[in-house]
């Protein structure tokens, strides 16, 4: 079976060695030495000044909304994973959907201003598939209207923008280290901000608001992560360069094999160093997309209609129609991409796609 993704696992002995240390120290969670070590190593690897490691990418978004004290309406994209929208609603704000750009599949910055009202407090945009949004344009709009910006950078491990980590942009960026992501810590995520005041607030928010054992700085939640998760993260980080390089090669192979189909793929931002996190292709029709998906399934290959359906159709939100997102979402398929996939498997997947579309 070939799934759309398969978690990377480091050599077992390397993980075991770190787990031995956990046993010796008998320190399992609450800002332990491995969590600290991972934060430092991730900061170095990603070239960041600060990074707050948390239990997952969803709590990272929710803490981000809390840390910026957002209220009212948050402008967001319909083309993302459900957590982007659910975290807005969970934090008692209203998502206002703005359609996506037909080439990048990221929020269309040209449509943002017309969605701003007196109640708008922020823009929450996703760098879809690890491809940066129109960051400069969004920043200009936010400045003009005094809005905060959060980037859901869940897919962005290793992506750069203008030579810097894309995680440095916006008031806050969040990332996921879930097992299915390019780099993972089993479950996990992080919050990144360059503002020391927000950073301080995040430190309290992720740990129940504890200042010390008896005093609290406002409301908080349990957003901590454990030594076991950090151990996985420390092990996997050694392989991050290799994983990124392998993804790039796999992309090239898919590109070469599928070239003759001339199918649409997301247009990668010009100033981006792309991480090749996913391999999405847009078919000419929804029927083509479904046919290919079914044909792959018959061969025990599972691509994923990602993102499908769009978030503006969730039954707990209201939205005007989002024709571009609707259209792309119906025709897009993410092909299998993970560290262990072989060139032969990629070739086989491509042959099935070509055969199904009768080339
Ligand atoms: C994976 C993902 C999340 C959620 O991250 P978790 O770590 O699974 O909670 C949020 N947004 C996007 C775009 C994602 O892909």
């Amino acid at each position: 079976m070939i799934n759309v993704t398969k978690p990377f696992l480091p050599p077992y002995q390397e993980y075991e060695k770190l787990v031995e240390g956990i046993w010796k120290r008998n320190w399992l969670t609450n800002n332990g030495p491995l969590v600290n070590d991972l934060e430092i190593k991730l900061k170095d690897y990603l070239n960041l000044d600060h990074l707050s490691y948390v239990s997952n990418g969803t709590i990272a978004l929710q803490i981000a909304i809390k840390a910026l004290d957002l209220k009212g309406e948050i402008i967001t994209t319909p083309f993302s994973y459900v957590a982007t929208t659910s975290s807005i609603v969970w934090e008692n704000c209203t998502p206002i959907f703005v359609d996506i750009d037909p080439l990048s599949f990221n929020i269309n910055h040209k449509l943002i201003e017309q969605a701003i009202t007196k109640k708008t407090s922020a823009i929450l945009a996703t760098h879809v598939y690890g491809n940066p949004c129109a960051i400069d344009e969004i920043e200009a709009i936010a400045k003009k209207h005094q809005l905060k910006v959060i980037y859901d950078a869940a897919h962005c491990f290793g992506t750069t923008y203008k030579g810097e980590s894309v995680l440095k942009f916006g008031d806050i960026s969040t990332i996921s280290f879930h097992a299915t992501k390019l780099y993972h810590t089993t479950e996990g995520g992080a919050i990144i901000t360059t503002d020391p005041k927000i950073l301080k607030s995040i430190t309290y928010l992720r740990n129940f608001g504890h200042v010390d054992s008896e005093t609290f700085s406002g409301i908080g939640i349990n957003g901590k992560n454990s030594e076991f998760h950090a151990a996985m993260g420390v092990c996997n980080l050694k392989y991050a360069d290799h994983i990124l390089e392998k993804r790039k090669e796999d992309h090239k192979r898919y590109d070469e094999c599928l070239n003759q189909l001339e199918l649409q793929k997301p247009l990668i931002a010009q100033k981006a160093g792309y991480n090749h996190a996913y391999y999405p292709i847009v078919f000419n029709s929804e029927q083509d997309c479904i046919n290919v998906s079914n044909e792959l399934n018959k061969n025990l290959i599972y691509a994923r209609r990602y993102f499908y359906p769009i978030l503006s159709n969730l039954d707990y939100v209201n939205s005007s129609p989002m024709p571009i997102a609707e259209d792309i979402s119906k025709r897009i398929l993410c092909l299998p991409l993970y560290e262990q996939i072989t060139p032969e498997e990629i070739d086989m997947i491509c042959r099935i796609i070509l055969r199904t579309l009768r080339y």
Side-chain angles (χ1 to χ4, degrees), residues 3 26 42 67 93 95 120 132 155 161 163 166 184 265 269 299 320 345:
N3 228 331
N26 203 342
L42 281 170
C93 294
T120 311
H155 299 169
Y161 184 73
V166 78
H184 77 90
K265 289 184 297 173
N299 292 276
S320 53
E345 286 170 328

Side-chain angles (χ1 to χ4, degrees), residues 82-321:
V82 68
T84 316
T85 295
S86 65
S87 50
I88 294 174
V89 179
W90 196 277
E91 293 304 326
N92 284 319
C93 294
T94 307
I96 302 296
F97 293 97
V98 162
D99 209 350
I100 57 172
D101 177 89
L103 299 180
S104 71
F105 313 155
N106 286 323
I107 195 166
N108 188 342
H109 65 89
K110 293 185 193 125
L111 303 176
I112 291 178
E113 278 199 290
Q114 65 197 56
I116 296 174
T117 72
K118 278 193 194 122
K119 291 188 212 155
T120 311
S121 60
I123 300 165
L124 201 181
T126 302
H127 300 306
V128 175
Y129 306 128
N131 177 27
C133 293
I135 289 176
D136 298 341
E137 290 83 352
I138 290 173
E139 198 171 290
I141 296 165
K143 232 190 201 136
K144 184 172 156 195
H145 297 271
Q146 294 185 317
L147 304 176
K148 301 290 185 192
V149 179
I150 299 173
Y151 287 114
D152 181 345
H155 299 169
C156 288
F157 189 92
T159 295
T160 59
Y161 184 73
K162 293 182 179 169
E164 293 196 78
S165 169
V166 78
L167 301 169
K168 281 188 180 172
F169 295 88
D171 293 282
I172 295 181
S173 283
T174 62
I175 187 167
S176 166
F177 302 139
H178 183 256
T180 56
K181 304 301 203 258
L182 184 155
Y183 164 83
H184 77 90
T185 69
T186 315
E187 289 275 1
I191 312 171
I192 297 95
T193 180
T194 50
D195 181 330
K197 260 173 45 197
I198 302 172
L199 176 70
K200 197 162 178 202
S201 146
I202 290 165
T203 310
Y204 294 138
L205 282 167
R206 74 168 167 179
N207 189 25
F208 305 98
H210 271 296
V211 177
D212 55 46
S213 64
E214 293 171 9
T215 35
F216 297 91
S217 170
I219 192 171
I221 197 165
N222 184 356
K224 293 176 274 99
N225 216 336
S226 81
E227 291 291 279
F228 292 90
H229 292 83
M232 183 63 91
V234 168
C235 290
N236 283 348
L237 197 54
K238 279 195 244 161
Y239 299 92
D241 281 345
H242 159 74
I243 290 169
L244 285 163
E245 194 50 44
K246 169 73 168 42
R247 280 282 209 287
K248 194 171 166 184
E249 285 166 23
D250 291 343
H251 259 249
K252 200 162 154 253
R253 194 155 189 113
Y254 269 128
D255 281 349
E256 284 166 6
C257 292
L258 297 174
N259 191 17
Q260 55 178 299
L261 290 176
E262 294 180 3
L263 294 174
Q264 188 188 356
K265 289 184 297 173
L267 183 69
I268 304 304
Q270 265 185 0
K271 298 163 193 161
Y274 186 43
N275 67 356
H276 303 90
Y278 296 84
Y279 196 88
I281 46 172
V282 183
F283 294 93
N284 294 329
S285 68
E286 184 176 17
Q287 198 54 57
D288 277 358
C289 181
I290 292 170
N291 290 348
V292 166
S293 176
N294 289 344
E295 208 49 41
L296 290 170
N297 291 355
K298 276 187 208 159
N299 292 276
L300 303 184
I301 298 164
Y302 300 93
R304 182 164 176 209
R305 300 186 73 186
Y306 191 64
F307 305 103
Y308 177 89
I310 57 172
L311 302 174
S312 47
N313 290 343
L314 287 166
D315 63 8
Y316 54 84
V317 301
N318 292 309
S319 174
S320 53

